[in-house]
Amino acid sequence: MIGNPASQATHEARILYRLTDRLYRSRSPDDVYEAALDAIVGSLGCARASILLFDENNVMRFVAWRGLSDAYRHRLEGHTPWKRGERDPNPLFISNIEESYEADWVKVAAKKEGIRSLAYIPLVAQGGTVGQFMACYEAPRIFSDHQIELAITIARQVGFSIERSAAEDARRRAEEHQELLVAELHHRVKNTLAVVQAIAHQTFRGAPNEWLKAFTGRLQGLARSHDLLFRAQWMEISLHDLAKCLLPIEPGKDRFAMHGPPVLLDADHAIAIGMALHELFTNAIKYGALSDPEGAVTLEWRWTGQPQARLEISWREQGGPRVKRPSRTGFGSLLLERTIQRDLAGNLSLDYRPDGLCCAMTVAIADQRP
């Protein structure tokens, strides 16, 4: 210990400042423990110290220590003046363990370790006791009010850091668990789609090949949307990325063009709009503008509507074969209507212009306008 009171105060202030800074910068429980032990040893003048925390079975366990033997730690494991979660615990300072009310077996263990005096300081997080730190001395001592306040100050900072570390650990475990669930969901969806595809091959056996190709194509479009959502952890994906992943051709100014502000789609909107775009792409390649070398498609979207935001998506074909209104409503048209009108409660219009199909879709979506 430093003899000059002013120098001692400066020394303690420096230690507390360094403790606060290290705890703030800590990235793991071990960082917290090391910073705490340095502060305990440096400010309380003890050569030996330890930090203990309750485990999942409510047993007080050593998690970090300085200068304590394996035998002593093994003997004292589980020994504590408090119960887990105990509120407003009071620290315990023992000036001479031989004259204390500690159990005889504790006195024997301390004597073998060369400990004559010690302090039990509770660590509190979220209002309840989660552990303790111990400062051990080789000779009896009287603890001053100042030392008691200093020990409590250290304990408060360490308890807060343990609480923060536990919260971060819980958040990390929750994120890992969510990632596992998302991966499992993706795996199950892929397996389901594979089973559906196998059933389709059996069901369409003997039927025209184009039926199977159309169904398989829609299934693959759905799978690509799922893959994109999986990479985004089923959060949000951009409309631009969704359209690009469904493209049957490389985008270019001569054949295909996309224009629109940044738009993020949740899973429901992404699946429905993805299915609609896949249907339009497929139709354009088979019968529409993209079936002709001179044909082109323009996909545009914009925000519209006040006060509720709505997303307006426009699909325009030109330069392809002359378009005629179909004599009957095909499955592709029904699928478009279902995904936009029924699944998203939006509006859909198909305009069979002679120079190219035009499709307008409008859906309600969270306002993302700047």
Side-chain angles (χ1 to χ4, degrees):
M1 299 289 287
I2 299 173
N4 186 293
S7 298
Q8 178 66 22
T10 302
H11 174 69
E12 291 172 355
R14 187 181 298 114
I15 288 176
L16 290 177
Y17 173 81
R18 179 166 173 74
L19 172 64
T20 302
D21 182 65
R22 291 178 64 184
L23 293 178
Y24 174 76
R25 298 174 185 274
S26 64
R27 292 294 178 267
S28 69
D30 287 341
D31 291 342
V32 174
Y33 305 151
E34 284 302 306
L37 288 173
D38 283 346
I40 294 167
V41 171
S43 63
L44 298 181
C46 57
R48 291 182 279 188
S50 60
I51 297 174
L52 301 90
L53 297 176
F54 285 109
D55 66 8
E56 63 277 6
N57 297 316
N58 296 328
V59 177
M60 189 72 84
R61 304 286 188 186
F62 285 85
V63 295
W65 57 89
R66 297 274 175 84
L68 297 176
S69 68
D70 292 345
Y72 179 78
R73 287 186 285 105
H74 179 74
R75 191 72 180 95
L76 268 291
E77 196 118 79
H79 178 61
T80 176
W82 309 285
K83 295 180 180 179
R84 184 173 193 166
E86 184 173 334
R87 307 185 78 83
D88 300 321
N90 293 315
L92 179 61
F93 295 87
I94 301 176
S95 298
N96 188 335
I97 196 167
E98 291 294 336
E99 300 174 358
S100 71
Y101 292 103
E102 285 280 24
D104 289 342
W105 67 268
V106 175
K107 294 179 180 179
V108 170
K111 185 176 181 179
K112 286 183 178 180
E113 194 72 7
I115 296 174
R116 300 291 303 281
S117 177
L118 55 82
Y120 295 93
I121 313 297
L123 298 174
V124 176
Q126 296 182 337
T129 303
V130 297
Q132 67 191 39
F133 80 69
M134 297 168 60
C136 307
Y137 302 87
E138 297 177 356
R141 66 186 292 123
I142 301 298
F143 294 92
S144 67
D145 291 341
H146 175 71
Q147 288 177 318
I148 293 174
E149 291 175 0
L150 189 59
I152 293 173
T153 299
I154 293 172
R156 285 173 178 167
Q157 293 196 47
V158 174
F160 175 77
S161 294
I162 290 174
E163 181 177 330
R164 187 190 69 174
S165 179
E168 291 176 350
D169 187 55
R171 177 183 56 78
R172 178 183 54 78
R173 289 198 304 269
E175 290 175 350
E176 291 175 351
H177 183 62
Q178 183 182 32
E179 290 175 1
L180 286 174
L181 290 178
V182 170
E184 176 65 18
L185 173 63
H186 184 63
H187 177 70
R188 289 178 180 272
V189 168
K190 290 186 69 174
N191 282 349
T192 300
L193 293 178
V195 170
V196 171
Q197 188 167 9
I199 293 174
H201 277 277
Q202 293 293 325
T203 303
F204 287 113
R205 180 177 294 178
N209 189 52
E210 61 190 47
W211 292 7
L212 177 60
K213 289 180 64 177
F215 182 82
T216 302
R218 289 170 180 132
L219 209 58
Q220 291 172 346
L222 179 61
R224 285 194 290 271
S225 297
H226 272 269
D227 284 338
L228 195 62
L229 282 166
F230 172 70
R231 290 195 292 272
Q233 295 190 345
W234 283 86
M235 297 298 288
E236 293 177 321
I237 59 176
S238 76
L239 176 53
H240 181 277
D241 289 345
L242 176 65
K244 189 174 180 180
C245 95
L246 294 170
L247 277 177
I249 60 172
E250 287 295 321
K253 62 180 181 180
D254 296 331
R255 299 300 311 276
F256 183 81
M258 282 192 294
H259 308 287
V263 175
L264 292 177
L265 305 173
D266 61 24
D268 290 339
H269 282 82
I271 292 296
I273 293 175
M275 291 295 292
L277 291 179
H278 170 78
E279 203 62 35
L280 291 168
F281 279 130
T282 302
N283 185 76
I285 287 177
K286 293 175 64 176
Y287 313 111
L290 297 181
S291 68
D292 191 304
E294 303 299 321
V297 171
T298 300
L299 174 63
E300 297 180 302
W301 58 87
R302 65 187 182 93
W303 293 106
T304 184
Q306 290 289 350
Q308 183 183 23
R310 296 183 71 81
L311 182 65
E312 188 176 274
I313 303 173
S314 172
W315 171 281
R316 296 195 308 275
E317 299 182 25
Q318 57 186 16
R322 186 174 180 81
V323 175
K324 294 181 180 180
R325 177 177 289 275
S327 58
R328 62 182 181 84
T329 301
F331 181 77
S333 298
L334 291 175
L335 183 62
L336 282 169
E337 293 176 0
R338 177 181 178 84
T339 55
I340 300 303
Q341 294 180 341
R342 291 181 55 182
D343 294 352
L344 298 183
N347 297 318
L348 171 77
S349 66
L350 293 170
D351 187 357
Y352 296 93
R353 298 177 184 178
D355 59 336
L357 173 69
C358 290
C359 176
M361 298 174 278
T362 305
V363 296
I365 193 171
D367 196 343
Q368 301 168 23
R369 289 175 287 193

